Amino acid sequence: MTAKIIDGKAAAAEVRADVAAGVEARVKAGKSRPGLATVLVGENPASQVYVHMKQKACAEVGIESFGHVLPETATQEEVEDLVRKLNEDPQVNGILVQLPLPKGMDEEKVLNAISIEKDVDGFHPLNIGRLAQKGRTPQFVPCTPDGVMYLLKKNLPTLEGVEAVVLGRSNIVGMPVALLLVEANATVTICHSRTKNLPEVVRKADVLVAAVGRAEMVKGDWIKPGAVVIDVGTNRVDDATKKRGYRLVGDVAFDEAKEVAGAITPVPGGVGPMTIAMLLRNTLRSAEMAG
Ligand code: NDP
């Protein structure tokens, strides 16, 4: 059996097109153009690339972006002051503080300073707390987990009663994905570095979400035949045949797993493109909620 390959690029393009249409309709109706403020502290090259990608994606769907760059030497107070200023700015509907922040800075305090109405990354403790409570709706769902759920819902008739296994329990991926799956009435097992008999646990999964950050750790014979596999892992492995000297692989051994799974995301081209698409969608939603 060869799995259906889940095309994250196509799904992301679909979301972006919806957002672009939503922005256009809003502006035509005389309402404000949605705006996203990015806050970059320091000169981390990967963070610079991510911020640039987000700004470019905003431009493509008609969302205004406001780039703020602070030096590596900025104080905690300066970063929080900027966030508070952006909270008050009516042109700004979403605030994205690019993580990680420079060493020594209290990340939680900075995220806490973001107004919950503008927390388009969904990392504010109140948003995560609401996600964990029955009957409460978070203002925003974190973007990568939201993208995972989008792909799952597109590829499964229902998640109700489905055996789901989430590999990883991080604040940004594993835990919110698990909470969203519970909300969708799946039966969820969360695995982490202390889980015993991992292959056995994974073999029970009708839905497997892998977010561990270990290159090709999940082998083909860990996968239940027909399972839907969403691979969030993005890992660099050395590859002398590539110009840049490495290639990206997921947490799942794709070539083996695709022979067993019913559907699987590739890396790259699976979950990756969904994250920014969901950020754009959250920014438009925020503008719509603001009026
Ligand atoms: P973290 O390092 O924060 O978390 C990894 C999790 O995996 C932890 O819960 C850890 O367990 C668990 N883990 C680590 N090793 C093992 C193991 N051998 N067996 C079982 N569990 C293990 O990673 P993130 O959640 O931030 O990211 C995970 C992956 O997803 C990375 O490859 C990252 O690059 C990628 N990613 C991709 C995104 C995208 O596509 N847009 C966005 C964000 C992340 P414990 O808690 O016990 O330490």
Side-chain angles (χ1 to χ4, degrees):
M1 172 174 177
T2 300
K4 171 189 172 193
I5 309 301
I6 299 173
D7 187 344
K9 273 191 207 160
E14 204 174 270
V15 173
R16 286 175 188 229
D18 273 357
V19 173
V23 170
E24 203 190 328
R26 230 188 111 70
V27 173
K28 258 195 190 145
K31 294 183 187 168
S32 66
R33 185 173 290 282
L36 175 74
T38 56
V39 177
L40 175 62
V41 187
E43 290 175 4
N44 178 329
S47 294
Q48 287 171 335
V49 171
Y50 291 140
V51 166
H52 177 71
M53 278 165 62
K54 288 166 189 173
Q55 290 171 338
K56 193 167 156 257
C58 279
E60 280 165 12
V61 296
I63 291 177
E64 190 110 41
S65 62
F66 307 98
H68 294 268
V69 181
L70 292 177
E72 186 89 23
T73 51
T75 63
Q76 179 86 29
E77 202 51 33
E78 282 167 339
V79 180
E80 288 179 32
D81 277 351
L82 172 59
V83 168
R84 281 189 281 269
K85 211 177 87 198
L86 297 170
N87 284 341
E88 300 304 318
D89 186 341
Q91 279 187 294
V92 172
N93 300 108
I95 302 171
L96 182 134
V97 176
Q98 186 63 46
L99 302 178
L101 289 168
K103 275 204 183 72
M105 202 161 277
D106 187 337
E107 202 167 278
E108 197 182 347
K109 271 184 80 190
V110 173
L111 295 180
N112 257 323
I114 299 174
S115 145
I116 187 168
E117 280 82 28
K118 298 189 179 185
D119 177 38
V120 286
D121 241 349
F123 291 149
H124 192 290
L126 254 178
N127 269 326
I128 298 290
R130 285 186 187 168
L131 201 59
Q133 290 179 314
K134 200 173 157 72
R136 304 270 163 86
T137 313
Q139 203 97 358
F140 299 105
V141 172
C143 302
T144 302
D146 206 12
V148 168
M149 294 305 289
Y150 186 94
L151 295 178
L152 281 175
K153 287 178 182 164
K154 226 177 136 55
N155 285 279
L156 277 167
T158 178
L159 281 161
E160 194 158 317
V162 162
E163 287 282 345
V165 170
V166 180
L167 291 183
R169 56 175 167 182
S170 73
N171 290 339
I172 61 165
V173 192
M175 195 52 82
V177 166
L179 293 170
L180 287 163
L181 283 164
V182 170
E183 195 204 10
N185 295 323
T187 303
V188 183
T189 305
I190 304 171
C191 300
H192 44 76
S193 63
R194 320 292 155 80
T195 299
K196 294 202 172 90
N197 304 322
L198 194 57
E200 244 169 77
V201 179
V202 172
R203 259 177 226 124
K204 296 200 179 94
D206 297 312
V207 162
L208 174 65
V209 179
V212 284
R214 302 261 182 267
E216 300 181 323
M217 183 184 88
V218 178
K219 306 300 174 202
D221 65 0
W222 296 24
I223 308 285
K224 181 174 176 177
V228 177
V229 179
I230 306 290
D231 191 354
V232 187
T234 313
N235 311 291
R236 284 182 183 192
V237 294
D238 293 340
D239 186 340
T241 68
K242 302 276 178 215
K243 210 168 127 196
R244 53 189 181 182
Y246 67 87
R247 69 193 150 87
L248 292 180
V249 300
D251 291 338
V252 178
F254 181 81
D255 288 339
E256 295 174 15
K258 79 173 190 329
E259 298 305 321
V260 191
I264 186 168
T265 56
V267 176
V271 175
M274 296 304 294
T275 301
I276 291 183
M278 295 333 233
L279 174 71
L280 300 173
R281 191 162 86 163
N282 277 350
T283 306
L284 172 60
R285 269 196 54 217
S286 176
E288 297 282 57
M289 286 189 288

